[in-house]
């Protein structure tokens, strides 16, 4: 057998390399800030910090499971074991050089986390999981380099803003004004949780990253950054797939060795 | 003589080898006697909710919820007399004494599992005979056995048939079949695809391997009926049925086992690619400047079968670890996205599963209404596009759910799933199809 090493993503540009890096689970995402567990719980707004997890069904051990070889093999996540509800965290990523594009959140998430349900829409990306599993994943998503306080929004509802111009402080538009720029500290502060319910105390998510840094670490192709069309290898890949899908639809037997 | 050179090893649902080097055509719906029996049972077997009829007659609530006809009620002890009803019903349905008619009394008389004789179906062109013969015979039986007079017979009809024929289907009726009325099929040959995954999960008693197998059998048999699995495309469907649905070469089970404790969906993609390389299905084509290697294949149909098996394994890992069905559309999109990016080769069903996943994600997450995965089927407007490769994974996901949805498979399926799980070939299709494949092996 030829030595095979997962390659995750094609492409020759800086953007492709960044994509590959984030998608590779062996790459440890750089931690840039610390958000306490309680603050994260408050930001998501599904339960009060310290409150027990609500459940949607009894713990698996108590309820017993049907005789199924797959259930016997596949280890449930801690949240599934306990019967936690399924809850979500949702992000809006600005089109202006954010670390992750919407699709990247799904590709990266499915490579790094187990038992997650990620959906990609035009302006928002929800990640759903059993509640205690979600809280672990959310920590990574907010504390590390894939989150920029100014250009990524934690937004459960009224997500609009990803394609709008940034404001004078470099912040993405938010119709619910969940986050504000604190000029004194230079930090971004959440004053409302992800669906817009006011928080008792503001929660700081740290200083926005610099434009130059973001341009280096982004996974977005942009005409005013690294345009998609500059990545010949990537274009070849897309065209190849399109061709293979189409020809296979006509006659799969004729697609050989190409 | 075999049309195709492919030979496979058959395994059971626990990864134990059953037979080796069996021609893939032994699993074809055109050849395999167990698959043909399963299809016959789907047409012949009908579920009767005697308790429902008794309640409808007692309250006058016939033809759908809240449809109560005041002053019209009949107190008939149907459940208590289930055995005698079953005998009379059998007599009424039988064509000859030794035919395959059968009526089983289940749950202390609350339900009946009726098998309409094949002779009745053979004398018509529609599969609806199973339903119509049972419903009509049941009306006759109740009228006769309980001496219902001419003025009350209409209530018996309404309790059994529901609001039909005012409605297209037997709305609020108490006789049900796995198959929907033909008018509800999206196109020609869709009948076997119009079976909600809730039924499949319950029939197979939530054994995810058997749920996937039964669903795959129905879906791929429908491909033959629809005109998809023929000519250039027949082998693709046969291999898909074998590797994805029936665990050929233990591919699905092996990949699940490899990732069972800590694996992510991405890890399943890697396992699938590794196995495809190891088995010589794909090989490197060229290395790009970035170091990225695109892969190629001499057998795209087999690559599709490997990818489809990986997709099912990915569903089992993701939905299985979360014990939740709602994750499956996300698996359909991103398993394929990741697989395509990993290899440069098309994903399952050459892109159609990924597309189906996009639509299903919208319609199964309360974005545009819809419902949970248990209501979906191969005839559903947003999940009919993949040619038999998506729905088996949905069925497995539903089987693996521990109770995360409001409308449970039990609620959606009603009596049908539970009743039909009494038919061994439907409940454990892997076993029966494997046995049948071995029995005809020599003839192929």
């Amino acid at each position: 057998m030829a030595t095979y090493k997962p390659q995750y993503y094609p492409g020759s540009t800086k953007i492709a390399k960044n994509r590959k890096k984030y998608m590779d689970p062996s790459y440890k995402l750089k931690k840039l800030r610390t958000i306490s567990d309680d603050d994260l719980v408050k930001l998501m707004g599904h339960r009060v910090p310290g409150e027990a997890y609500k459940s949607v069904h009894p713990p698996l051990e108590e309820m017993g499971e049907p005789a199924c070889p797959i259930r016997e093999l596949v280890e449930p996540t801690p949240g599934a074991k306990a019967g936690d509800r399924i809850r979500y965290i949702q992000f809006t990523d600005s089109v202006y050089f954010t670390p992750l594009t919407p699709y990247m959140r799904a590709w990266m998430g499915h490579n790094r986390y187990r038992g997650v349900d990620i959906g990609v829409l035009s302006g928002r990306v929800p990640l759903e999981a059993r509640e205690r599993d979600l809280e672990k994943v959310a920590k990574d998503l907010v504390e590390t380099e894939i989150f920029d306080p100014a250009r990524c929004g934690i937004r459960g509802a009224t997500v609009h803003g990803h394609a709008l111009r940034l404001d004078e402080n470099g912040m993405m538009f938010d119709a619910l004004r969940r986050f504000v720029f604190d000029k004194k500290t230079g930090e971004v502060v959440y004053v409302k949780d992800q669906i817009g319910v006011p928080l008792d105390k503001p929660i700081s998510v740290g200083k926005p990253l610099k434009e130059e840094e973001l341009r280096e670490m982004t996974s977005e192709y942009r005409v005013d950054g690294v345009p998609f069309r500059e990545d010949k290898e990537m274009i070849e890949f897309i065209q190849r797939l399109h061709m293979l899908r189409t020809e296979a639809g006509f006659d799969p037997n004729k697609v050989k060795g190409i | 003589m075999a049309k195709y050179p492919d030979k496979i090893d058959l395994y059971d649902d626990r990864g134990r080898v059953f037979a080796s080097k069996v021609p893939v055509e032994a699993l074809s719906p055109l050849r395999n006697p167990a698959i043909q029996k399963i299809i016959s049972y789907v047409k012949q077997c009908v579920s009767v909710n005697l308790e429902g009829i008794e309640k409808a007659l007692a309250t006058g609530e016939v033809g759908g919820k809240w449809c109560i006809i005041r002053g019209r009620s009949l107190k008939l002890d149907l459940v208590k007399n289930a055995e005698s009803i079953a005998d009379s019903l059998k007599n009424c349905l039988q064509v000859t004494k030794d035919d395959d008619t059968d009526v089983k009394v289940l749950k202390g008389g609350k339900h009946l599992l009726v098998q309409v004789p094949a002779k009745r179906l053979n004398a018509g062109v529609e599969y609806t005979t199973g339903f119509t013969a049972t419903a009509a015979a049941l009306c006759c039986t109740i009228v006769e056995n309980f001496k219902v007079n001419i003025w009350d017979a209409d209530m018996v009809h309404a309790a059994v048939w529901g609001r039909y024929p005012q409605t297209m289907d037997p709305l609020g009726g108490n006789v049900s079949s796995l198959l929907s009325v033909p008018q509800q099929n999206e196109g020609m040959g869709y009948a076997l695809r119009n079976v909600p995954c809730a039924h499949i999960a319950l029939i197979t008693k939530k054994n995810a391997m058997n749920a996937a197998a039964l669903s795959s059998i129905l879906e791929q048999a429908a491909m033959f009926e629809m005109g998809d699995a023929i000519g250039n495309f027949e082998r693709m469907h046969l291999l898909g049925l074998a590797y994805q649905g029936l665990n050929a070469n233990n591919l699905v089970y092996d990949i699940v086992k490899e990732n069972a404790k800590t694996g992510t969906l991405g890890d399943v993609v890697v396992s699938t690619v590794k196995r495809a390389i190891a088995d010589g299905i794909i090989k490197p084509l060229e290395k790009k400047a970035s170091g990225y290697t695109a892969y190629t294949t001499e057998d795209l149909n087999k690559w599709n079968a490997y990818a489809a098996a990986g997709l099912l394994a990915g569903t089992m890992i993701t939905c299985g670890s979360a014990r939740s069905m709602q994750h499956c559309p996300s698996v359909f999109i991103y398993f394929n996205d990741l697989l395509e990016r990993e290899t440069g080769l098309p994903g399952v069903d050459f892109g159609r599963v990924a597309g189906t996943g996009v639509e299903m994600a919208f319609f199964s997450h309360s974005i545009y209404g819809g419902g949970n995965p248990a209501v979906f089927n191969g005839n559903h407007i947003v999940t009919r596009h993949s040619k038999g490769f998506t729905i088996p994974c949905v069925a497995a996901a539903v089987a693996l759910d521990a109770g995360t949805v409001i409308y449970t498979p039990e609620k959606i399926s009603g009596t049908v799933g539970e009743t039909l799980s009494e038919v061994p070939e439907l409940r454990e299709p892997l076993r029966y199809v494997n046995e049948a494949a071995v029995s005809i092996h020599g003839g192929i």
Side-chain angles (χ1 to χ4, degrees):
Chain A
M1 179 187 154
T3 45
Y4 162 72
K5 208 171 152 255
Q7 42 187 4
Y8 302 109
Y9 204 79
S12 51
T13 53
K14 180 172 72 184
I15 306 297
K17 281 177 193 143
N18 284 340
R19 289 187 173 203
K20 187 173 169 171
K21 183 172 77 176
Y22 297 138
M23 285 167 72
D24 178 356
S26 67
Y27 170 75
K28 197 171 177 340
L29 297 169
K30 279 180 213 140
K31 189 176 167 181
L32 299 185
R33 61 195 71 82
T34 300
I35 313 287
S36 75
D37 292 353
D38 283 357
D39 281 350
L40 198 62
V41 166
K42 283 185 203 162
L43 275 174
M44 289 194 282
H46 301 307
R47 67 185 181 106
V48 177
E51 184 190 356
Y53 292 102
K54 291 193 177 77
S55 57
V56 68
H57 59 72
L60 296 180
E61 263 187 24
E62 275 177 33
M63 65 188 272
E65 294 203 86
C68 165
I70 300 303
R71 288 195 195 225
E72 286 163 26
L73 275 183
V74 178
E75 178 79 12
T77 63
K81 258 185 210 167
D84 286 0
R85 302 177 300 178
I86 292 172
R87 287 294 175 262
Y88 72 95
I89 186 165
Q90 183 165 266
F91 293 91
T92 299
D93 296 289
S94 167
V95 296
Y96 292 103
F97 303 105
T98 48
L100 297 180
T101 61
Y103 261 89
M104 274 299 296
R105 284 202 179 271
W107 294 334
M108 189 203 79
H110 276 301
N111 275 343
R112 288 176 182 268
Y113 311 114
R114 186 171 154 91
V116 289
D117 175 16
I118 308 169
V120 177
L121 294 99
S122 54
R124 60 191 178 100
V125 183
L127 182 148
E128 301 187 25
R130 299 281 192 160
E131 196 163 358
R132 74 191 69 193
D133 308 335
L134 169 72
E135 286 173 9
K136 273 198 183 146
V137 174
K139 195 103 170 130
D140 251 14
L141 299 180
V142 180
E143 284 189 336
T144 62
E145 60 184 306
I146 52 173
F147 181 82
D148 175 53
R151 302 188 197 191
C152 304
I154 307 169
R155 301 178 180 181
T158 317
V159 296
H160 188 64
H162 76 285
L164 300 186
R165 280 173 295 172
L166 305 175
D167 73 6
E168 69 273 24
N169 299 311
M171 302 274 286
M172 178 169 57
F173 174 79
D174 181 7
L176 297 187
R177 299 175 68 92
R178 273 162 282 220
F179 61 0
V180 290
F181 184 70
D182 184 337
K183 282 188 179 162
K184 276 187 204 154
T185 60
E187 291 183 351
V188 174
V189 175
Y190 272 77
V191 292
K192 294 176 184 172
D193 71 8
Q194 67 172 341
I195 57 163
V197 176
L199 295 163
D200 294 341
K201 278 187 202 162
I203 296 169
S204 169
V205 288
K207 290 183 178 165
L209 295 166
K210 291 195 179 96
E211 176 81 10
E212 314 83 70
E213 279 181 83
L214 283 168
R215 280 176 177 260
E216 278 307 305
M217 60 198 280
T218 187
S219 57
E220 284 177 3
Y221 286 101
R222 279 186 60 91
V223 281
D224 54 354
V226 179
F228 178 70
R229 292 192 182 282
E230 266 180 24
D231 201 330
K232 294 271 183 300
E233 196 179 304
M234 187 63 204
I235 288 179
E236 271 176 37
F237 166 82
I238 295 290
Q239 288 176 338
R240 173 184 158 78
L241 260 189
H242 183 76
M243 179 269 292
L244 287 175
R245 282 176 169 188
T246 311
E247 292 201 359
F250 174 63
D251 184 354
N253 305 299
K254 288 193 176 139
V255 183
K256 281 183 195 292
I258 50 173
Chain B
M1 206 182 122
K3 235 181 190 177
Y4 305 111
D6 309 275
K7 296 216 163 147
I8 48 164
D9 294 344
L10 302 175
Y11 283 80
D12 71 2
D13 61 341
R14 290 182 179 271
R16 290 174 297 223
V17 70
F18 183 75
S20 296
K21 296 203 171 20
V22 177
V24 74
E25 279 166 85
L27 297 175
S28 169
L30 303 177
R31 301 255 202 160
N32 187 289
I35 292 183
Q36 289 168 358
K37 218 171 182 183
I38 286 170
I39 293 166
S40 293
Y41 283 146
V42 167
K43 290 187 280 187
Q44 286 178 266
C45 293
V46 174
S47 156
V48 173
N49 183 0
L50 268 190
E51 189 188 29
I53 299 172
E54 189 176 300
K55 210 171 143 200
L57 288 173
T59 56
E61 188 176 6
V62 289
K65 241 184 176 181
W66 318 119
C67 243
I68 299 168
I69 307 177
R70 300 277 175 210
R72 294 295 308 273
S73 69
L74 274 176
K75 302 271 185 231
L76 304 182
D77 285 336
L78 301 183
V79 175
K80 226 189 248 175
N81 294 290
E83 293 291 347
S84 66
I85 293 174
D87 286 346
S88 309
L89 186 58
K90 188 175 175 185
N91 278 337
C92 194
L93 285 167
Q94 244 172 359
V95 178
T96 54
K97 282 279 170 215
D98 57 345
D99 69 15
D100 52 346
T101 312
D102 194 19
V103 182
K104 273 197 186 104
V105 177
L106 306 172
K107 292 190 98 177
K110 287 179 183 170
H111 302 159
L112 300 179
L113 169 61
V114 181
Q115 186 179 319
V116 173
K119 282 177 181 161
R120 285 192 179 270
L121 280 135
N122 294 343
V125 291
E126 258 194 37
Y127 60 80
T128 45
T129 303
F131 174 88
T132 53
T134 305
L138 188 62
C139 285
C140 294
T141 301
I142 294 173
V143 168
E144 286 290 313
N145 288 17
F146 293 87
K147 300 197 179 6
V148 178
N149 65 39
I150 192 169
W151 309 108
D152 288 327
D154 56 343
M155 284 302 283
V156 174
H157 186 282
V160 172
W161 289 77
R163 209 183 300 179
Y164 181 83
Q166 275 71 44
T167 49
M168 203 166 62
D169 62 343
L171 175 71
N174 282 291
V175 174
S176 27
S177 148
L178 259 191
L179 303 169
S180 301
V181 296
Q183 293 90 329
Q184 287 175 339
N185 294 336
E186 286 282 334
M188 288 187 276
Y190 272 83
L192 285 171
R193 306 191 72 187
N194 202 354
V195 180
C197 290
H199 290 330
I200 305 286
L202 290 186
I203 290 171
T204 52
K205 295 205 173 281
K206 297 193 177 174
N207 173 320
M209 291 293 276
N210 275 321
L214 180 59
S215 178
S216 184
I217 288 165
L218 298 180
E219 282 278 293
Q220 298 294 358
M223 292 309 131
F224 283 83
E225 208 175 348
M226 289 166 66
D228 278 276
I230 197 161
N232 297 343
F233 297 94
E234 183 178 12
R235 184 168 166 266
M236 170 200 166
H237 289 285
L238 284 178
L239 291 170
L241 171 61
Y243 283 86
Q244 185 188 44
L246 302 171
N247 192 30
N249 293 0
N250 214 24
L251 197 53
V252 172
Y253 192 88
D254 277 348
I255 298 176
V256 171
K257 198 171 169 189
E258 204 175 311
N259 296 287
K261 301 295 169 219
T262 56
T264 63
L265 184 65
D267 293 330
V268 175
V269 170
V270 170
S271 298
T272 308
V273 175
K274 260 188 198 165
R275 181 80 181 250
I277 295 171
D279 293 355
I281 310 300
I282 61 172
K283 59 182 184 204
L285 177 66
E286 57 171 331
K287 199 169 193 170
K288 303 284 184 184
S290 70
Y292 178 81
T293 303
Y295 284 78
T296 186
T297 179
E298 292 298 315
D299 189 349
L300 200 64
N301 294 313
K302 201 171 251 183
W303 161 247
N304 181 64
Y306 269 60
L311 179 79
L312 178 59
T315 310
M316 287 171 166
I317 289 299
T318 302
C319 298
S321 60
R323 294 293 196 272
S324 159
M325 62 173 88
Q326 71 164 65
H327 297 48
C328 62
S330 188
V331 172
F332 303 154
I333 310 170
Y334 302 111
F335 175 86
N336 286 295
D337 263 2
L338 294 173
L339 190 71
E340 288 178 342
R341 271 140 200 83
E342 194 58 48
T343 60
L345 285 165
V348 186
D349 212 3
F350 316 132
R352 281 187 286 253
V353 171
T356 305
V358 174
E359 287 181 87
M360 190 183 168
F362 273 68
F363 283 86
S364 60
H365 284 69
S366 305
I367 301 171
Y368 295 122
N372 72 48
V375 304
F376 283 83
N377 56 64
N379 180 67
H380 193 284
I381 190 78
V382 304
T383 39
R384 67 187 162 106
H385 306 97
S386 169
K387 301 295 187 173
F389 295 97
T390 301
I391 296 299
C393 303
V394 181
V398 172
L400 290 167
D401 190 280
T404 63
V405 292
I406 294 171
Y407 293 101
T408 59
E410 288 78 3
K411 225 185 255 180
I412 294 164
S413 179
T415 59
V416 184
E418 205 186 337
T419 311
L420 292 191
S421 72
E422 293 293 321
V423 183
E425 285 84 351
L426 296 179
R427 188 179 61 239
E428 295 168 68
L430 255 181
R431 183 180 142 198
Y432 289 94
V433 171
N434 280 350
E435 282 173 7
V438 172
S439 75
I440 59 162
H441 177 175
I444 295 171

